[in-house]
Amino acid sequence: MYIVCSDLEGVFVPEIWINVSKQTGIDELKLTTRDISDYNVLMKRRLELLRQHSLTLHDIQKVISLLKPLPGALEFVDWLRTRLQLIVVSDTFIEFADPLLKQLGRPTLFCHHLTTDNAGNIINYNLRQKDAKKKVVEALQSLNYKVIAIGDSYNDISMLRKAELGILYNPPQNVIDEHNDLMVVKSYNDLKEIISQLIDKEQ
Ligand SMILES: [Mg+2]
């Protein structure tokens, strides 16, 4: 039986930090997992920038509350959930993701969480576990699921490689170039077709 593990940002919703960068005018905040492959290096730099500019969790949540899912994402998620179970597996934080998940009909989310102080400053981030995306796939496989994994960036690669079917969805060229053996899909319609074919073959 198949189950789907999908990344969030870049697949269903815009990149949160790019939008925070646009809204705040802090250029360096636009770096994402698409640019820096080491997530800890990236997150430490982001928190340092927030501190330097006195931006709180509330400021970031304000920006996120203005974001909408990517065009067609809700329809795709709705379609997918009529066919298979979906788990959104993200390297974002529960404090950021909730307004976006709500707009997608609240699929199950596995992600990380933040630590804030009394003034609402983000003082640390807590990864649920190391290599969390890949671990989700392994856990589901131990429950006898076959996993279809969808993602767009460096931080998805180990999840995609562990899955029975790993799909790069609209990745940037540098990710394609470095992982040119992975399947690349560029529209929700193509995703639907690939997933439908796989399920039909199984039945
Ligand atoms: Mg992503």
Side-chain angles (χ1 to χ4, degrees):
M1 186 185 271
Y2 279 102
I3 190 164
V4 178
C5 290
S6 178
D7 179 35
L8 179 65
E9 292 169 66
V11 177
F12 297 140
V13 307
E15 291 287 344
I16 290 173
W17 289 96
I18 289 178
N19 282 279
V20 172
S21 167
K22 276 188 204 153
Q23 294 282 328
T24 58
I26 304 167
D27 201 48
E28 211 186 328
L29 278 180
K30 71 170 183 264
L31 295 176
T32 70
T33 49
R34 290 176 169 222
D35 310 295
I36 296 178
S37 53
D38 187 326
Y39 187 73
N40 285 307
V41 171
L42 180 63
M43 269 314 296
K44 289 207 171 92
R45 183 69 192 131
R46 285 167 170 170
L47 294 192
E48 197 180 298
L49 286 164
L50 294 185
R51 208 165 28 241
Q52 279 169 10
H53 293 268
S54 305
L55 287 171
T56 65
L57 174 60
H58 182 68
D59 296 321
I60 311 290
Q61 285 173 329
K62 256 201 315 219
V63 173
I64 296 169
S65 70
L66 302 172
L67 299 183
K68 296 264 171 289
L70 295 171
L74 176 60
E75 291 82 351
F76 174 72
V77 167
D78 282 346
W79 173 85
L80 189 57
R81 293 174 79 191
T82 65
R83 308 297 302 269
L84 292 173
Q85 298 297 316
L86 165 67
I87 300 175
V88 177
V89 182
S90 173
D91 274 333
T92 191
F93 306 95
I94 189 75
E95 294 84 353
F96 289 175
D98 194 62
L100 292 165
L101 264 287
K102 191 176 165 194
Q103 297 183 67
L104 291 169
R106 289 197 190 283
T108 300
L109 170 69
F110 291 171
C111 68
H112 309 300
H113 73 277
L114 297 168
T115 303
T116 53
D117 65 15
N118 287 339
N121 298 300
I122 303 170
I123 51 172
N124 209 350
Y125 65 99
N126 311 283
L127 300 185
R128 194 170 48 76
Q129 64 185 154
K130 199 169 167 283
D131 210 356
K133 292 196 182 214
K134 181 181 164 196
K135 291 274 172 53
V136 172
V137 176
E138 286 173 343
L140 290 166
Q141 287 168 335
S142 81
L143 301 175
N144 249 354
Y145 282 104
K146 288 194 241 174
V147 178
I148 301 169
I150 305 168
D152 72 320
S153 300
Y154 290 112
N155 62 332
D156 300 305
I157 298 296
S158 65
M159 168 172 84
L160 300 191
R161 292 205 178 279
K162 190 73 206 167
E164 274 71 17
L165 176 64
I167 303 171
L168 276 172
Y169 183 74
N170 265 338
Q173 194 57 46
N174 48 321
V175 175
I176 298 178
D177 291 345
E178 286 170 47
H179 301 279
N180 55 16
D181 57 317
L182 289 172
M183 181 190 287
V184 176
V185 173
K186 296 199 167 161
S187 74
Y188 295 125
N189 275 342
D190 289 351
L191 273 183
K192 275 187 191 175
E193 205 161 303
I194 288 158
I195 291 168
S196 295
Q197 277 173 10
L198 203 62
I199 305 171
D200 294 345
K201 228 185 334 183
E202 173 111 325
Q203 282 161 353

